[in-house]
Amino acid sequence: MSGREVITLSVGGVRFVTRASTLQQFPESRLARMVNDDGREFKLVNGEFFVDRDGALFSYIMDFLRTLQVSLPTDFSDYQRLQREAEFYGLYPLASLLSQEHLLKPRLEVLEVRFSLQEMQAFFRIFGSCSTTIEALAEQITVFTGQQSGQGWNSPFPSQKPLIPLPLERPSHHDMVFLCGTEYSAGDQFVARYVSIKPDNRKLINGTNVLGLLLDTLLKDGFRLISTRTVASEEKVECYTFERMKRAAGLAIMVNQTPGSSGVAQARRSQVQKGK
């Protein structure tokens, strides 16, 4: 069998096809010994190795052997069973990472949007438990300012006058503050603030419209609205609370491939971002 490049396994009735080199990533493991004809634990039936273990969990074993990373679904909960499977196959570096369950579990991310109307202006404050999300959102939101004649939410867009982008107010790494609408300047002149939220190209001045676009942007980004309430104060402030499960970063194993090495993975961990 050592001369075959492609290996087929039937694990608990689930069929897997992979390269021999993938199963040989860790030479001291049972899977590597199986490929090298050093072990007789697994029967060869019709050209396939039969393994009497959990086939569903073996798919995570295969993903680890192919990528040398541990990245599990957000709803995964069988850490102890998967650790036991890793130990059975002799993949002790994987078993060691799985024992650190807290590093692999997804984290709940909470984000709060506060909105209030005061005369012809709308005030926004966004607070998030994850600073990287706030940073990304700050890059999407731009406030533009300019002067115009007339008054009201629906004043015509002052195309003849250039709008100037304003930096968002950032009280901390976890929140941002901005406003839109108009305020009196002098004579019949008003200072107008428009808000643009990428990828939408519109510049909106009406606070209710900005709120609708902001909430829609968050929903498209994977958040779900869990509560709305009015904060009790002199000025009514609407509060919208969102949450989402953020996938944990993958944990990577570095394999020692130096000549004469036993092939056992070195115990170095590094975080690899896997997305939201």
Side-chain angles (χ1 to χ4, degrees), residues 24 32 43 52 71 77 85-86 88 124 133 135 140 183 196 213 227 244 251 258 266:
Q24 293 170 321
K43 292 182 178 181
D52 190 17
S71 182
S77 60
E85 293 300 293
F88 169 80
F124 293 83
T133 296
E135 292 290 344
Q140 290 180 260
E183 61 180 339
S196 174
L213 179 58
S227 71
R244 72 175 172 187
L251 295 181
T258 57
Q266 302 303 297

Side-chain angles (χ1 to χ4, degrees), residues 242-255:
F242 295 81
E243 70 175 19
R244 72 175 172 187
M245 295 300 292
K246 188 174 182 179
R247 185 184 300 276
L251 295 181
I253 287 288
M254 303 304 294
V255 179

Side-chain angles (χ1 to χ4, degrees), residues 100-227:
Q100 303 176 68
E101 186 176 325
H102 64 285
L103 296 176
L104 296 169
K105 283 187 174 180
R107 292 167 174 79
L108 179 64
E109 182 179 354
V110 178
L111 188 141
E112 180 180 275
V113 176
R114 293 199 172 196
F115 166 76
S116 66
L117 287 173
Q118 298 180 15
E119 297 181 351
M120 303 305 296
Q121 290 186 317
F123 294 80
F124 293 83
R125 182 185 179 189
I126 305 174
F127 174 84
S129 61
C130 179
S131 61
T132 55
T133 296
I134 296 297
E135 292 290 344
L137 196 56
E139 293 181 0
Q140 290 180 260
I141 299 174
T142 306
V143 177
F144 297 90
T145 185
Q147 286 192 336
Q148 65 180 75
S149 301
Q151 54 183 304
W153 291 109
N154 299 315
S155 298
F157 182 79
S159 58
Q160 72 278 12
K161 297 181 180 180
L163 295 178
I164 302 172
L166 294 176
L168 297 179
E169 183 180 345
R170 296 292 306 278
S172 74
H173 293 296
H174 289 272
D175 61 348
M176 70 177 76
V177 178
F178 62 93
L179 58 86
C180 66
T182 58
E183 61 180 339
Y184 179 76
S185 176
D188 64 346
Q189 296 295 309
F190 283 78
V191 175
R193 287 184 175 86
Y194 297 80
V195 174
S196 174
I197 305 177
K198 297 176 183 178
D200 194 292
N201 294 320
R202 293 173 296 169
K203 294 180 176 65
L204 303 176
I205 194 172
N206 185 296
T208 303
N209 292 341
V210 173
L211 176 65
L213 179 58
L214 176 60
L215 300 186
D216 185 59
T217 299
L218 293 174
L219 292 172
K220 289 180 179 179
D221 196 33
F223 283 95
R224 68 185 187 96
L225 181 64
I226 60 172
S227 71

